[in-house]
Amino acid sequence: MPDQPVPVSSVMLMTAVFAPVAAGIITLFLPRKRTTLRVLISLAGMALAFGLVYAQVAQIAPTSAAGRAGTAVIPWIPVLNLNLAFLADGLGGFFALLVSGIGVLIVLYARGYFGDEPDDLYRFYPTLGFFATAMLGIVLADYTLLTLLFWEMTSISSFLLIGWDRYDKHAVKLAMQAFYTTGLGGLGLLGGILLFGLETDVWRWSEFLPAAGEDSPAWWLPEYGEISWTNPMLGAFLLMFFGAATKSAQFPFHYWLPGAMAAPTPVSAYLHSATMVKAGVFLVARLSPVFWALDVWPWLVIPLGAITMTMAALIAINQHDLKRIFAYTTVSQLGLLMCALGLGALKYTDHHNNSFSVINWDITQIANHAFYKAPLFIIAGALGHVASRDITQLNGVFKKQPAMCITLILAGFALAGLPGSISFQAKELFLYAIYHSYQTIGSWWLILMAAAIVTAVCNVAIFVRLTTTVLGLPGGMTADMGCPAHDDHAHHHHVDATGFWGSMMWVPAAVLVAFQFIGGIAPGVWEYFIRPFETNINYEGFQYLPSLGYILADTFKEGPSIPLICSMIAIACGLILGFLPVFRGAIKDVCDQIYPTVYWLAVTGGRRAFMLVQTGNFRTYTVMVLGAFLIGFAGSVLRDPRIIDPVYEAMSRGGEFWPGILLGAIIIVTALALPLTDSRVVRVLILGACGFAVVGMYLVYRAPDLALTQLMFEIISVLLFVLVLRLLPRDESKSRVPRWWRGLIAAAMGIAFGWMTIVAATTPRDHTLTEGLLLGEMFARHSYKGTELTAGRGGGGDNIVNVILVDFRGFDTLGEITVLALAALGVWSLIPRRRSPKV
Amino acid sequence: MTFVMAVCVAVVFGVSIYMLLGRELKGLAMGVFLLGHAANLCILAQSGSPVLPDGEGLKAPPVLSHGDYEAAAHGGEALSRMVDPLPQALILTAIVISFAVMAFLLTLIIVSARKTNTLDINELGKEQLPTPSQAH
């Protein structure tokens, strides 16, 4: 389709995807000292991406049919089903705005964080741009394989950014840990996409998703609940989910995310809280409208999310390093998002007999987390700069850094999900979803609710401790609280920026956290902006985003609802726990040992296996090769027992020519006699006898040329052996090691080889090619005169074998002569001389 | 005939493997030598039986006689009474190359026996052989 003009929206979204990395590359050409210009160009790249995506979603409503259709295709590699097309539907469009929008703030924050350090900034902005492009690619790509491509790019950029300090071996190790873990998931995703694509021929998300308003899953899924374990769709889903679970740090793969905190804080705030780790959540949300129909979905996604959520919350409260605290709450929140998406597969029927999926406003859940977690990280990094990142060292820091601490407290308020922030509404939505799930999963919802309450309690307690600590109030953490936090070598010390750029250490956080409170206090504003992206607006009687006022009004009218009661219990317990002295240590996460253990097993086990196999002993290698061959042969015999038939057939016609049998007997007897004798001369003579019998066999097979050549070389060889025996030292007395295993392997190999000879020799030839039974029929026919095939040209010789050697396979003969010449040269150079000119 | 050949291949090949698995370098050289024989016999067996189907003696060698040129060019009867030329051509190359390998191997054995004074493979493995840079 080269003649058709490329559609505008495709180019627009493609430009949006590649703008950040292009801006990053441009900054590489600037002189190192031009930091301000560098910041502005990077900023422009992110802002351009944001603007273009915004223009697209403003033009075409993301959740409308047009928005879900994807843009027109720009062909790239059509044969691999890999083309450039983009899909800015509700999910993708929202994520793209989130990535580019937070990207703008992170560009500013990085300038404040790294200070006026040209080297770090020189490297940082292109890498950040690379990541932003990869992330935008994931969320906007329409082709499944294009998503995968960008997915792997985020793993690479994450690796580069975690191992930012190239001289810190610990950081590099953690970067590898993250890379291997998410890379393994990427392989799973590749497998899932390929399996799905090959099975259904669906390679675009826009074809994958059900059409707008259509509730039923696509045609390739069988009826609800009837999918069997052998269905490739199930395998495709499990593989893709594996990719999502590793990327989004679900238990037990969550260990890489706290490890990734070795990265500079702008990276942690951007990649490891707001965007990249949500790629898995994004993917699961992408898959959900179709794979919700799988009966395995709720039983896999919900428990995994719930376990991750609860476990990470309990670990988070037992950490001292601010970044580790926030890393574990991030894992916890990712588990919550997974769990919420898992709940979407469940149905609820209300008293008006309306049936709906219990998921509601999932984009709000995702946005909510980004709007408080990124600020928390930003402030953690800022505090690490000016004071310490260890919470026990931060007592009373408010007096010195009031702006940062206020932002921290506000973001912590949202972390706790207290009323007034959008986080509260999001938590209510989640609790409602759990509550509504009881119709499908029965009493299991109580366990889910308990998990949610435990998580909320931990988050509230963390908020309480953060607040009391920075304000220096009683109940806060103090320096004598047990052991100091584990130093993860990530204290990047930089020259502190002052003035405008210095304020960039906390202003981006304040901007982000402002959205939390705008949404919380004025839900109408939030709804105005977020609603166009939401596809799951399901609850009857819950059509409006529940503001505090709405819930209160509802409560006064009908009494408090169960989710609200649970929420209040959680807040109350959290406040109490926050002031209690328990759970204040700094514990280690058991799962941190997973990667080092696997690594150790691979390295040590690999070395052991190497020592076992690579003995350096020639005979061991021979036995291994022969053993592998024998196993393969035995396998093929077992697979097709009819392979024995040609042997009987050949046996019945074995006695057709008695001189042949005689010669064969001589060959066999001489060969068998060889290992039985000890005398060197006798052995050589036996070897010669065997060779001459072979010459006789050549004659029986009417091969005069072979017989002549073999005769000549046999004589030379025997002479050579005799000569060599004279030059060699005498035999030492041999130690009599048991030889039965040698004999066994030799006998098995001999039988296998003889058997294969019969099978190969008696297999019917392809009769379409050869009229007769000659393998060399073509050569025979062209030996003297040609045919039409060769335009009448032939070899012009009577002896077909000779014609083959010099005409048809002349280059083989040339090679043979070369081998002979090289061997002669080798012998000549190796042979010891009697009189050497030197030495 | 194919069966006789197969038994020959089996025995020669088995003996050569037995020799190759031994500890002694001379036996190893003989094993390599026998391996060549076994392979050549195996290839030769692929040309089928040299006995004519009606049992009237052996087929003709792959040499054309003067009257046969036209008949040979069109295949058919003249070729069906002749042994297969292709395996023979392959073996002819193989004989020469196996001889070259043989000669080189024997020379190597002589040289290593002179340097290390042993013909035992296990002993050779323990020798500290000079590296190329130290050899001069």
Side-chain angles (χ1 to χ4, degrees):
Chain A
M1 301 174 287
D3 297 335
Q4 290 178 0
V6 179
V8 176
S9 55
S10 295
V11 177
M12 220 161 81
L13 286 180
M14 193 166 74
T15 315
V17 167
F18 288 103
V21 75
I25 290 170
I26 290 171
T27 63
L28 283 176
F29 294 101
L30 294 175
R32 293 204 170 216
K33 295 285 171 196
R34 304 292 300 273
T35 45
T36 308
L37 191 58
R38 198 180 298 284
V39 175
L40 289 178
I41 289 175
S42 302
L43 200 67
M46 296 284 190
L48 179 65
F50 185 87
L52 287 172
V53 175
Y54 186 80
Q56 168 75 13
V57 298
Q59 189 186 352
I60 302 169
T63 51
S64 70
R68 292 157 71 111
T71 62
V73 176
I74 303 171
W76 182 21
I77 314 176
V79 71
L80 290 181
N81 294 303
L82 179 54
N83 293 314
L84 298 168
F86 298 93
L87 175 66
D89 66 339
L91 189 66
F94 166 74
F95 258 100
L97 289 178
L98 189 74
V99 170
S100 49
I102 295 184
V104 168
L105 297 172
I106 294 296
V107 166
L108 293 171
Y109 174 57
R111 173 65 179 81
Y113 182 84
F114 285 115
D116 198 13
E117 207 153 306
D119 281 346
D120 268 333
L121 290 175
Y122 179 77
R123 274 203 299 147
F124 186 76
Y125 284 126
T127 323
L128 194 75
F130 176 61
F131 165 74
T133 288
M135 193 62 211
L136 285 168
I138 290 184
V139 298
L140 285 178
D142 190 7
Y143 276 86
T144 49
L145 284 172
L146 194 61
T147 302
L148 176 87
L149 215 63
F150 286 116
W151 182 282
E152 299 293 7
M153 275 166 65
T154 59
S155 291
I156 294 169
S157 58
S158 165
F159 168 78
L160 292 173
L161 289 164
I162 296 170
W164 184 253
D165 189 349
R166 292 167 289 184
Y167 305 107
D168 182 349
K169 282 198 178 126
H170 188 66
V172 171
K173 206 177 276 179
L174 291 169
M176 277 165 65
Q177 162 178 308
F179 183 72
Y180 279 127
T181 310
T182 56
L184 192 67
L187 285 181
L189 180 61
L190 170 67
I193 286 175
L194 289 183
L195 192 58
F196 188 85
L198 292 173
E199 202 62 34
T200 62
D201 207 26
V202 169
W203 298 96
R204 292 182 69 168
W205 296 117
S206 51
E207 292 170 13
F208 171 86
L209 298 172
E214 188 183 310
D215 193 30
S216 61
W219 53 268
W220 55 77
L221 284 175
E223 289 291 308
Y224 181 82
E226 285 185 7
I227 195 158
S228 73
W229 284 104
T230 52
N231 193 311
M233 287 306 103
L234 185 66
F237 163 66
L238 289 178
L239 282 172
M240 287 196 253
F241 182 71
F242 173 66
T246 53
K247 197 78 164 181
S248 273
Q250 298 298 296
F251 175 82
F253 304 109
H254 66 274
Y255 54 82
W256 73 264
L257 182 54
M261 294 304 141
T265 311
V267 176
S268 305
Y270 192 32
L271 273 70
H272 303 127
S273 74
T275 57
M276 191 187 84
V277 291
K278 293 224 182 69
V281 174
F282 167 82
L283 182 70
V284 171
R286 238 323 162 239
L287 299 177
S288 60
V290 171
F291 284 120
W292 271 341
L294 287 180
D295 48 2
V296 74
W297 175 288
W299 299 106
L300 177 67
V301 183
I302 298 175
L304 196 69
I307 290 170
T308 309
M309 172 176 85
T310 321
M311 171 218 64
L314 288 171
I315 297 177
I317 195 169
N318 283 305
Q319 297 295 326
H320 282 176
D321 183 356
L322 280 184
K323 276 180 84 172
R324 279 186 84 78
I325 297 174
F326 299 146
Y328 277 106
T329 56
T330 304
V331 174
S332 172
Q333 189 71 22
L334 290 170
L336 186 148
L337 292 171
M338 265 318 168
C339 188
L341 285 166
L343 286 168
L346 305 178
K347 295 277 179 216
Y348 175 74
T349 311
D350 65 4
H351 36 264
H352 301 300
N353 244 350
N354 295 321
S355 180
F356 50 79
S357 167
V358 299
I359 195 170
N360 214 10
W361 290 80
D362 47 329
I363 300 288
T364 296
Q365 293 280 8
I366 293 163
N368 152 51
H369 178 235
F371 287 155
Y372 75 75
K373 191 52 61 63
L376 283 176
F377 272 110
I378 289 174
I379 298 301
L383 283 176
H385 254 268
V386 297
S388 167
R389 251 173 48 198
D390 189 337
I391 190 169
T392 58
Q393 309 294 321
L394 288 174
N395 202 308
V397 78
F398 181 81
K399 292 184 193 101
K400 288 180 208 152
Q401 304 290 343
M404 286 181 194
C405 289
I406 288 172
T407 320
L408 180 72
I409 290 167
L410 288 176
F413 188 83
L415 166 73
L418 297 176
S421 62
I422 194 70
S423 188
F424 176 73
Q425 275 95 325
K427 189 178 65 181
E428 284 300 303
L429 285 167
F430 181 61
L431 295 180
Y432 266 84
I434 292 178
Y435 175 62
H436 283 160
S437 69
Y438 75 85
Q439 280 191 352
T440 323
I441 59 173
S443 332
W444 287 101
W445 80 274
L446 289 170
I447 293 176
L448 279 183
M449 187 59 94
I453 291 175
V454 169
T455 309
V457 165
C458 290
N459 284 343
V460 173
I462 289 168
F463 162 65
V464 168
R465 286 181 190 169
L466 279 177
T467 311
T468 49
T469 304
V470 297
L471 293 177
L473 296 176
M477 307 286 276
T478 46
D480 54 354
M481 284 282 175
C483 54
H486 167 65
D487 181 21
D488 67 359
H489 302 260
H491 292 285
H492 299 267
H493 292 290
H494 305 284
V495 186
D496 289 341
T498 48
F500 174 72
W501 293 122
S503 72
M504 280 303 140
M505 293 281 277
W506 60 272
V507 167
V511 171
L512 278 175
V513 85
F515 287 110
Q516 274 284 345
F517 292 93
I518 292 171
I521 295 162
V525 180
W526 180 275
E527 193 193 335
Y528 176 78
F529 285 108
I530 295 292
R531 178 144 193 176
F533 299 105
E534 295 279 7
T535 39
N536 296 305
I537 305 173
N538 293 321
Y539 299 177
E540 207 254 343
F542 212 64
Q543 290 290 352
Y544 304 100
L545 192 64
S547 68
L548 182 61
Y550 181 86
I551 289 172
L552 285 179
D554 202 38
T555 306
F556 281 125
K557 210 162 54 190
E558 299 178 14
S561 67
I562 288 174
L564 188 64
I565 294 171
C566 293
S567 186
M568 291 306 149
I569 291 172
I571 291 172
C573 292
L575 288 172
I576 296 167
L577 179 64
F579 287 102
L580 285 181
V582 294
F583 284 158
R584 287 190 178 228
I587 62 163
K588 285 201 159 60
D589 184 0
V590 186
C591 294
D592 279 349
Q593 293 307 313
I594 291 178
Y595 177 78
T597 309
V598 172
Y599 185 82
W600 181 84
L601 279 178
V603 171
T604 315
R607 189 182 299 133
R608 290 269 162 79
F610 181 84
M611 301 289 273
L612 203 67
V613 176
Q614 302 288 344
T615 54
N617 187 334
F618 169 74
R619 291 192 296 169
T620 318
Y621 295 144
T622 318
V623 170
M624 276 179 197
V625 170
L626 299 181
F629 170 81
L630 282 175
I631 290 168
F633 185 75
S636 66
V637 171
L638 287 175
R639 195 162 152 267
D640 185 11
R642 283 173 302 160
I643 203 169
I644 192 80
D645 296 345
V647 178
Y648 293 132
E649 202 185 320
M651 210 189 282
S652 66
R653 302 203 294 126
E656 54 196 354
F657 190 64
W658 65 267
I661 298 176
L662 192 66
L663 281 167
I666 295 174
I667 294 177
I668 292 166
V669 168
T670 47
L672 285 176
L674 196 59
L676 296 178
T677 49
D678 273 343
S679 163
R680 300 189 294 175
V681 182
V682 176
R683 287 179 108 179
V684 172
L685 290 179
I686 290 174
L687 202 62
C690 182
F692 289 122
V694 170
V695 171
M697 198 55 119
Y698 288 158
L699 278 176
V700 168
Y701 265 77
R702 313 314 300 269
D705 302 288
L706 296 195
L708 278 173
T709 318
Q710 184 74 56
L711 191 66
M712 193 172 77
F713 281 120
E714 198 62 40
I715 292 168
I716 304 176
S717 297
V718 169
L719 288 177
L720 201 63
F721 260 104
V722 171
L723 188 73
V724 165
L725 286 184
R726 270 199 62 225
L727 292 170
L728 287 179
R730 294 202 67 82
D731 283 345
E732 297 149 29
S733 59
K734 278 175 267 180
S735 59
R736 287 287 165 187
V737 285
R739 297 186 184 181
W740 61 268
W741 60 272
R742 280 169 65 189
L744 200 69
I745 291 175
M749 283 303 295
I751 290 168
F753 226 77
W755 194 344
M756 278 165 50
T757 306
I758 291 179
V759 172
T762 56
T763 302
R765 313 273 187 243
D766 188 350
H767 288 283
T768 56
L769 284 177
T770 50
E771 289 171 22
L773 289 165
L774 300 189
L775 293 169
E777 185 185 337
M778 199 278 279
F779 301 115
R781 290 177 62 183
H782 296 87
S783 180
Y784 189 82
K785 293 183 78 168
T787 59
E788 313 83 58
L789 194 68
T790 55
R793 290 177 62 198
D798 294 341
N799 188 327
I800 303 170
V801 174
N802 291 3
V803 174
I804 291 175
L805 282 181
V806 295
D807 276 330
F808 294 109
R809 297 174 67 245
F811 275 114
D812 274 13
T813 310
L814 185 68
E816 169 197 332
I817 293 168
T818 315
V819 170
L820 207 59
L822 283 176
L825 266 176
V827 171
W828 179 253
S829 58
L830 276 178
I831 204 86
R833 304 221 181 112
R834 272 168 205 264
R835 267 189 298 246
S836 188
K838 275 199 249 174
V839 184
Chain B
M1 269 316 282
T2 306
F3 185 73
V4 176
M5 283 295 258
V7 175
C8 289
V9 169
V11 171
V12 176
F13 194 72
V15 170
S16 97
I17 292 291
Y18 184 83
M19 307 282 274
L20 281 177
L21 289 175
R23 295 171 46 170
E24 199 216 5
L25 278 178
K26 267 177 296 181
L28 199 137
M30 289 179 188
V32 172
F33 197 65
L34 281 182
L35 201 62
H37 281 324
N40 288 347
L41 289 176
C42 176
I43 297 172
L44 195 59
Q46 306 309 313
S47 57
S49 176
V51 185
L52 283 170
D54 46 11
E56 297 168 8
L58 296 176
K59 291 179 181 174
V63 179
L64 300 173
S65 54
H66 286 287
D68 280 350
Y69 296 146
E70 280 302 323
H74 293 96
E77 193 61 20
L79 296 188
S80 72
R81 299 185 72 84
M82 181 190 283
V83 290
D84 205 329
L86 186 61
Q88 298 193 5
L90 295 176
I91 294 170
L92 206 52
T93 312
I95 291 173
V96 179
I97 290 184
S98 68
F99 170 76
V101 171
M102 196 65 245
F104 190 70
L105 183 64
L106 287 176
T107 315
L108 267 183
I109 289 175
I110 291 172
V111 173
S112 63
R114 289 262 165 115
K115 293 254 184 210
T116 62
N117 222 7
T118 178
L119 285 173
D120 189 302
I121 291 184
N122 291 358
E123 296 293 317
L124 268 181
K126 293 172 195 154
E127 286 283 332
Q128 289 293 321
L129 294 176
T131 58
S133 59
Q134 292 166 344
H136 295 283

